[in-house]
Amino acid sequence: MEIVKFPLKVRGRKPLSKKIRFEVLKRDMFKCRYCGKTAEETPLHVDHVIPVAGGGTNDIMNLVTACEPCNLGKKAIPLDDRTIASKARKQAEILHEQKEIIEMMAQWRAGLVDLAGQKADLLVKYWNDKMPGRSLVDSYRATVIKYLKKFRYEEVAEAMDTAASQYLEYGDDGKCTSESVEYALSKLPGILRTKRAIEEDPGLEALYYIRGIARKRCSNYFPEHDAMSLLKEAREADVPMDALKSIAIAATNWTRFAGEVRELINDQTESSEENQQQDECEAETPDEFNVHWSGVIGEDCWQAGEWNSEQIIKESSISEIKAAKLWICDTCGTKISKAEDALVLYDSEKDGSWWPLVVHTSGQPDCDHPAQSEVLAPLDKYLGADGMVEIASLIQCEDFSSNGVGEFFKRCFVPGYELARFHLKLAQHYDVIDCYLSTDCHWEWQIDRVLAWVGASGTPQPPPSGAPESRCKLIPKRDMAAFST
């Protein structure tokens, strides 16, 4: 009978708790104590300096942070005594250094608290000196300390000066009245916030000054926060400070003050928008005037149309031009005298949308239709009441450019526009007309002014009642040499 011997079961090691592991990792600053690698570079283990197999314990002084390669490579091989002593000494030094740092931080924080208390004591004494015969209660020292957490010592002292000079009142006995002291102290937080806001935005000082004037004039109800918001809005709208100051001086109540400031903001906003529109018109240079249309029909064709329209205008009166049914061809720039002699093509712009073009039917020298264009219909189809409906159908077609269809509509139905359109941008540049609506929209009386400016005889119709007054001066029969192409 053969006897089989089974090995004795070896009792497993006691596992390390998560708390001990974390304390060891934290003590070693999450670095391997053998090679110095960090947790970002390699997995970290907690290693026994004296292996468990050699009698090592789970005492924190026998534990050290080790990276995975170092720990697995070392296995159960113990470090020599010199290494153990060196690591133990370093651990003791680190613990001692951390203890000293903690003690210094505690002393530093205690010093800060003590310094804040000393500053608070100085400020309390500073205030007490301003109100002879009275002194602050001890509990107010804590309030001053709260101020010092948000504001500098100099800011609090300066605010105390302001509060004392503006709100403290003295009786016949030379002592401050208790009511004025309470009121001055209640104003102190607002003064601190105001001075800090002015320091960050110096322009607010004038607004606070104006608000102060209005507050004194409006004895009953005056919401200071709403007033400051309104004044800030006025400043953003570039309302002059002198105008706001005048309103504040004349104010008798909040409703009147707020209403007049609001009216001033609206007027200034409307004026700014008008100036912006005018600047947009004046900002264009002669070389940029007709990029809009010359980019569609070609610069040479546009210049030919500009020259031919100028000659026709000079030889005609305003009434004749408006009564005539003539067009300028979009491929050769010459005159089309009758609608029967014109076709409407559609041609694609750079963005792929279609533009209606008016061209000669056929037989006109140097009038070649664009190769990529397609015929829509004779021009007659788009005139009269039915023509309006036809053009409206083009607007609903997504393939057509809304700008192109709008331009085609004006050419068909606005008297005088067909010839004047070549000169509108230049007329705006020379202040013959204003851009009240937009750079591409004009009233009939404005078109009359342009025709007269270019050289048409007759008197242009005046603006209708209620229309914005033009700031421009019309120079009849202007010398075209200054701007002809």
Side-chain angles (χ1 to χ4, degrees), residues 318-336:
I318 295 175
S319 58
E320 290 173 342
I321 293 171
K322 295 172 68 174
K325 295 295 183 181
L326 55 85
W327 286 266
I328 299 296
C329 179
D330 288 329
T331 57
C332 66
T334 59
K335 181 174 70 172
I336 303 176

Side-chain angles (χ1 to χ4, degrees), residues 286 289 306 423-432 453 483-484:
F289 283 152
E306 185 177 6
H423 311 281
L424 289 171
K425 293 290 186 181
L426 200 59
Q428 292 169 358
H429 179 74
Y430 285 110
D431 289 337
V432 176
W453 176 67
F483 59 91
S484 60

Side-chain angles (χ1 to χ4, degrees), residues 259-318:
E260 292 183 358
V261 173
R262 174 58 60 189
E263 183 177 357
L264 206 57
I265 292 173
N266 294 338
D267 291 344
Q268 188 69 19
T269 301
E270 292 177 1
S271 176
S272 298
E273 291 176 353
E274 291 179 2
N275 291 337
Q276 182 178 0
Q277 287 184 348
Q278 188 66 21
D279 291 342
E280 289 175 356
C281 295
E282 295 175 352
E284 295 177 302
T285 64
D287 292 337
E288 298 171 338
F289 283 152
N290 302 315
V291 170
H292 175 68
W293 257 97
S294 64
V296 178
I297 66 175
E299 186 176 354
D300 292 341
C301 179
W302 177 267
Q303 291 180 357
E306 185 177 6
W307 188 88
N308 283 309
S309 66
E310 175 188 331
Q311 305 310 312
I312 297 172
I313 292 172
K314 284 184 175 182
E315 296 170 358
S316 310
S317 67
I318 295 175

